[in-house]
Short mmCIF file of all heavy atoms in Angstrom, two decimals:
data_model
loop_
_atom_site.label_atom_id
_atom_site.label_comp_id
_atom_site.label_asym_id
_atom_site.label_seq_id
_atom_site.Cartn_x
_atom_site.Cartn_y
_atom_site.Cartn_z
N VAL A 94 0.82 -1.22 -0.02
CA VAL A 94 -0.05 0.06 0.03
C VAL A 94 0.87 1.28 0.01
O VAL A 94 1.80 1.38 0.87
CB VAL A 94 -0.93 0.02 1.22
CG1 VAL A 94 -1.79 1.21 1.24
CG2 VAL A 94 -1.81 -1.24 1.26
N GLU A 95 0.64 2.13 -1.00
CA GLU A 95 1.29 3.42 -0.98
C GLU A 95 0.28 4.47 -0.60
O GLU A 95 -0.72 4.59 -1.18
CB GLU A 95 1.81 3.76 -2.37
CG GLU A 95 2.47 5.10 -2.48
CD GLU A 95 2.78 5.55 -3.94
OE1 GLU A 95 2.11 5.01 -4.86
OE2 GLU A 95 3.59 6.47 -4.09
N PHE A 96 0.69 5.18 0.45
CA PHE A 96 -0.16 6.17 1.03
C PHE A 96 0.09 7.49 0.27
O PHE A 96 1.15 7.73 -0.29
CB PHE A 96 0.00 6.36 2.52
CG PHE A 96 -0.43 5.15 3.29
CD1 PHE A 96 0.32 4.13 3.58
CD2 PHE A 96 -1.82 5.08 3.77
CE1 PHE A 96 -0.08 3.00 4.33
CE2 PHE A 96 -2.25 3.95 4.42
CZ PHE A 96 -1.45 2.91 4.72
N LEU A 97 -0.86 8.44 0.31
CA LEU A 97 -0.60 9.68 -0.41
C LEU A 97 0.60 10.48 0.19
O LEU A 97 1.11 11.32 -0.49
CB LEU A 97 -1.88 10.49 -0.28
CG LEU A 97 -3.06 9.94 -1.07
CD1 LEU A 97 -4.36 10.83 -0.86
CD2 LEU A 97 -2.78 9.75 -2.54
N SER A 98 0.93 10.13 1.45
CA SER A 98 2.09 10.83 2.09
C SER A 98 3.37 10.34 1.37
O SER A 98 4.45 10.93 1.62
CB SER A 98 2.10 10.46 3.51
OG SER A 98 2.40 9.05 3.73
N GLY A 99 3.35 9.29 0.64
CA GLY A 99 4.52 8.73 0.06
C GLY A 99 5.01 7.45 0.71
O GLY A 99 5.89 6.77 0.21
N ASP A 100 4.59 7.18 1.95
CA ASP A 100 5.02 6.02 2.66
C ASP A 100 4.42 4.79 1.98
O ASP A 100 3.27 4.77 1.49
CB ASP A 100 4.45 6.06 4.12
CG ASP A 100 5.11 7.17 4.94
OD1 ASP A 100 6.26 7.57 4.53
OD2 ASP A 100 4.50 7.58 5.97
N VAL A 101 5.20 3.72 1.98
CA VAL A 101 4.81 2.44 1.33
C VAL A 101 4.97 1.37 2.44
O VAL A 101 6.01 1.24 3.12
CB VAL A 101 5.66 2.09 0.20
CG1 VAL A 101 5.32 0.72 -0.42
CG2 VAL A 101 5.51 3.20 -0.94
N TYR A 102 3.93 0.58 2.62
CA TYR A 102 3.91 -0.54 3.59
C TYR A 102 3.51 -1.83 2.92
O TYR A 102 2.70 -1.80 1.98
CB TYR A 102 2.87 -0.29 4.76
CG TYR A 102 3.34 0.74 5.74
CD1 TYR A 102 3.20 2.12 5.49
CD2 TYR A 102 3.89 0.42 6.92
CE1 TYR A 102 3.62 3.09 6.39
CE2 TYR A 102 4.35 1.29 7.90
CZ TYR A 102 4.16 2.68 7.53
OH TYR A 102 4.61 3.63 8.48
N GLN A 103 4.14 -2.94 3.34
CA GLN A 103 3.72 -4.25 2.86
C GLN A 103 3.07 -4.93 4.07
O GLN A 103 3.62 -4.94 5.17
CB GLN A 103 4.90 -5.01 2.36
CG GLN A 103 5.47 -4.45 1.10
CD GLN A 103 6.58 -5.36 0.52
OE1 GLN A 103 7.34 -6.09 1.26
NE2 GLN A 103 6.83 -5.30 -0.78
N TYR A 104 1.97 -5.59 3.72
CA TYR A 104 1.19 -6.35 4.74
C TYR A 104 1.31 -7.75 4.35
O TYR A 104 1.07 -8.15 3.15
CB TYR A 104 -0.26 -5.92 4.84
CG TYR A 104 -0.38 -4.50 5.27
CD1 TYR A 104 -0.31 -3.43 4.33
CD2 TYR A 104 -0.57 -4.22 6.60
CE1 TYR A 104 -0.41 -2.13 4.77
CE2 TYR A 104 -0.60 -2.86 7.07
CZ TYR A 104 -0.50 -1.80 6.14
OH TYR A 104 -0.56 -0.53 6.50
N PHE A 105 1.62 -8.71 5.27
CA PHE A 105 1.98 -10.10 4.95
C PHE A 105 0.87 -11.06 5.34
O PHE A 105 0.20 -10.85 6.40
CB PHE A 105 3.25 -10.45 5.73
CG PHE A 105 4.36 -9.53 5.44
CD1 PHE A 105 4.82 -8.66 6.52
CD2 PHE A 105 4.92 -9.31 4.19
CE1 PHE A 105 5.84 -7.79 6.27
CE2 PHE A 105 5.98 -8.39 3.95
CZ PHE A 105 6.44 -7.62 5.04
N GLY A 106 0.73 -12.15 4.52
CA GLY A 106 -0.25 -13.13 4.80
C GLY A 106 -1.74 -12.75 4.41
O GLY A 106 -2.65 -13.37 4.94
N VAL A 107 -1.85 -11.75 3.66
CA VAL A 107 -3.25 -11.24 3.29
C VAL A 107 -3.81 -12.14 2.20
O VAL A 107 -3.24 -12.20 1.13
CB VAL A 107 -3.19 -9.74 2.81
CG1 VAL A 107 -4.52 -9.27 2.41
CG2 VAL A 107 -2.54 -8.88 3.88
N PRO A 108 -4.97 -12.76 2.51
CA PRO A 108 -5.53 -13.63 1.51
C PRO A 108 -6.09 -12.86 0.26
O PRO A 108 -6.46 -11.74 0.40
CB PRO A 108 -6.69 -14.36 2.18
CG PRO A 108 -6.73 -13.87 3.63
CD PRO A 108 -5.64 -12.83 3.72
N LEU A 109 -6.09 -13.47 -0.87
CA LEU A 109 -6.46 -12.89 -2.16
C LEU A 109 -7.90 -12.31 -1.98
O LEU A 109 -8.12 -11.16 -2.45
CB LEU A 109 -6.40 -13.85 -3.31
CG LEU A 109 -6.93 -13.39 -4.62
CD1 LEU A 109 -6.11 -12.11 -5.10
CD2 LEU A 109 -6.87 -14.51 -5.67
N HIS A 110 -8.86 -13.03 -1.36
CA HIS A 110 -10.17 -12.53 -1.23
C HIS A 110 -10.32 -11.28 -0.48
O HIS A 110 -11.13 -10.44 -0.78
CB HIS A 110 -11.09 -13.65 -0.69
CG HIS A 110 -11.06 -13.85 0.80
ND1 HIS A 110 -10.06 -14.68 1.29
CD2 HIS A 110 -11.65 -13.26 1.84
CE1 HIS A 110 -10.17 -14.65 2.64
NE2 HIS A 110 -11.06 -13.81 2.94
N LEU A 111 -9.40 -11.07 0.47
CA LEU A 111 -9.45 -9.86 1.25
C LEU A 111 -8.94 -8.70 0.45
O LEU A 111 -9.47 -7.55 0.49
CB LEU A 111 -8.57 -10.01 2.57
CG LEU A 111 -8.84 -8.97 3.63
CD1 LEU A 111 -10.25 -9.16 4.28
CD2 LEU A 111 -7.87 -9.10 4.73
N TYR A 112 -7.90 -8.87 -0.29
CA TYR A 112 -7.37 -7.84 -1.23
C TYR A 112 -8.47 -7.47 -2.22
O TYR A 112 -8.70 -6.28 -2.45
CB TYR A 112 -6.16 -8.33 -2.00
CG TYR A 112 -5.86 -7.65 -3.22
CD1 TYR A 112 -5.23 -6.32 -3.14
CD2 TYR A 112 -6.10 -8.14 -4.47
CE1 TYR A 112 -4.97 -5.59 -4.30
CE2 TYR A 112 -5.85 -7.48 -5.65
CZ TYR A 112 -5.22 -6.12 -5.50
OH TYR A 112 -4.92 -5.48 -6.65
N GLU A 113 -9.23 -8.49 -2.84
CA GLU A 113 -10.22 -8.18 -3.77
C GLU A 113 -11.35 -7.40 -3.11
O GLU A 113 -11.89 -6.45 -3.71
CB GLU A 113 -10.73 -9.50 -4.37
CG GLU A 113 -9.67 -10.13 -5.26
CD GLU A 113 -10.14 -11.56 -5.76
OE1 GLU A 113 -10.92 -12.20 -5.10
OE2 GLU A 113 -9.53 -11.99 -6.77
N GLN A 114 -11.70 -7.77 -1.84
CA GLN A 114 -12.78 -6.96 -1.16
C GLN A 114 -12.37 -5.57 -0.95
O GLN A 114 -13.19 -4.70 -1.06
CB GLN A 114 -13.11 -7.73 0.15
CG GLN A 114 -13.85 -9.03 0.07
CD GLN A 114 -14.02 -9.73 1.35
OE1 GLN A 114 -13.44 -9.36 2.39
NE2 GLN A 114 -14.80 -10.80 1.31
N MET A 115 -11.12 -5.37 -0.58
CA MET A 115 -10.64 -4.00 -0.32
C MET A 115 -10.70 -3.20 -1.60
O MET A 115 -11.04 -2.07 -1.58
CB MET A 115 -9.26 -4.01 0.29
CG MET A 115 -8.83 -2.58 0.81
SD MET A 115 -7.21 -2.57 1.51
CE MET A 115 -6.21 -2.25 0.16
N MET A 116 -10.25 -3.79 -2.65
CA MET A 116 -10.20 -3.01 -3.95
C MET A 116 -11.61 -2.64 -4.40
O MET A 116 -11.82 -1.74 -5.16
CB MET A 116 -9.52 -3.83 -4.98
CG MET A 116 -8.02 -3.99 -4.67
SD MET A 116 -7.15 -2.36 -4.54
CE MET A 116 -6.92 -1.97 -6.27
N SER A 117 -12.62 -3.37 -3.98
CA SER A 117 -13.94 -2.99 -4.35
C SER A 117 -14.83 -2.34 -3.33
O SER A 117 -15.97 -1.99 -3.46
CB SER A 117 -14.72 -4.24 -4.86
OG SER A 117 -14.88 -5.18 -3.80
N ALA A 118 -14.08 -2.02 -2.18
CA ALA A 118 -14.78 -1.34 -1.08
C ALA A 118 -15.11 0.05 -1.39
O ALA A 118 -14.42 0.75 -2.05
CB ALA A 118 -13.92 -1.51 0.22
N HIS A 119 -16.15 0.60 -0.70
CA HIS A 119 -16.51 2.03 -0.88
C HIS A 119 -15.48 2.87 -0.25
O HIS A 119 -15.12 3.95 -0.90
CB HIS A 119 -17.90 2.26 -0.15
CG HIS A 119 -18.30 3.65 -0.16
ND1 HIS A 119 -18.76 4.25 -1.35
CD2 HIS A 119 -18.31 4.65 0.79
CE1 HIS A 119 -18.99 5.55 -1.07
NE2 HIS A 119 -18.76 5.75 0.21
N SER A 120 -14.87 2.51 0.78
CA SER A 120 -13.76 3.28 1.40
C SER A 120 -12.55 2.30 1.51
O SER A 120 -12.52 1.49 2.45
CB SER A 120 -14.19 3.74 2.77
OG SER A 120 -13.10 4.29 3.41
N ILE A 121 -11.54 2.47 0.72
CA ILE A 121 -10.40 1.65 0.78
C ILE A 121 -9.64 1.89 2.11
O ILE A 121 -9.17 0.93 2.75
CB ILE A 121 -9.44 1.90 -0.46
CG1 ILE A 121 -10.14 1.34 -1.64
CG2 ILE A 121 -8.09 1.37 -0.16
CD1 ILE A 121 -9.39 1.51 -3.02
N GLY A 122 -9.44 3.09 2.42
CA GLY A 122 -8.79 3.46 3.75
C GLY A 122 -9.45 2.88 4.95
O GLY A 122 -8.91 2.35 5.85
N GLY A 123 -10.82 2.96 4.94
CA GLY A 123 -11.59 2.41 6.07
C GLY A 123 -11.53 0.90 6.10
O GLY A 123 -11.37 0.35 7.24
N PHE A 124 -11.45 0.28 5.02
CA PHE A 124 -11.39 -1.15 4.92
C PHE A 124 -9.98 -1.56 5.42
O PHE A 124 -9.82 -2.55 6.22
CB PHE A 124 -11.56 -1.67 3.46
CG PHE A 124 -11.73 -3.19 3.39
CD1 PHE A 124 -12.90 -3.81 3.30
CD2 PHE A 124 -10.51 -3.97 3.31
CE1 PHE A 124 -13.01 -5.23 3.22
CE2 PHE A 124 -10.61 -5.32 3.24
CZ PHE A 124 -11.83 -5.97 3.20
#
């Protein structure tokens, strides 16, 4: 995840379905 501040974080062990849900969420930051 690259934040608008320019910081980049990697999150480990995230299942594909969770990534897909986040990408289609109304609020990505909230998710």
Side-chain angles (χ1 to χ4, degrees):
V94 178
E95 177 189 21
F96 292 90
L97 294 178
S98 66
D100 292 337
V101 177
Y102 285 82
Q103 289 185 338
Y104 297 88
F105 308 110
V107 178
L109 177 61
H110 74 272
L111 197 68
Y112 162 74
E113 292 172 338
Q114 288 174 352
M115 189 176 91
M116 293 301 281
S117 64
H119 176 70
S120 171
I121 289 178
F124 190 97

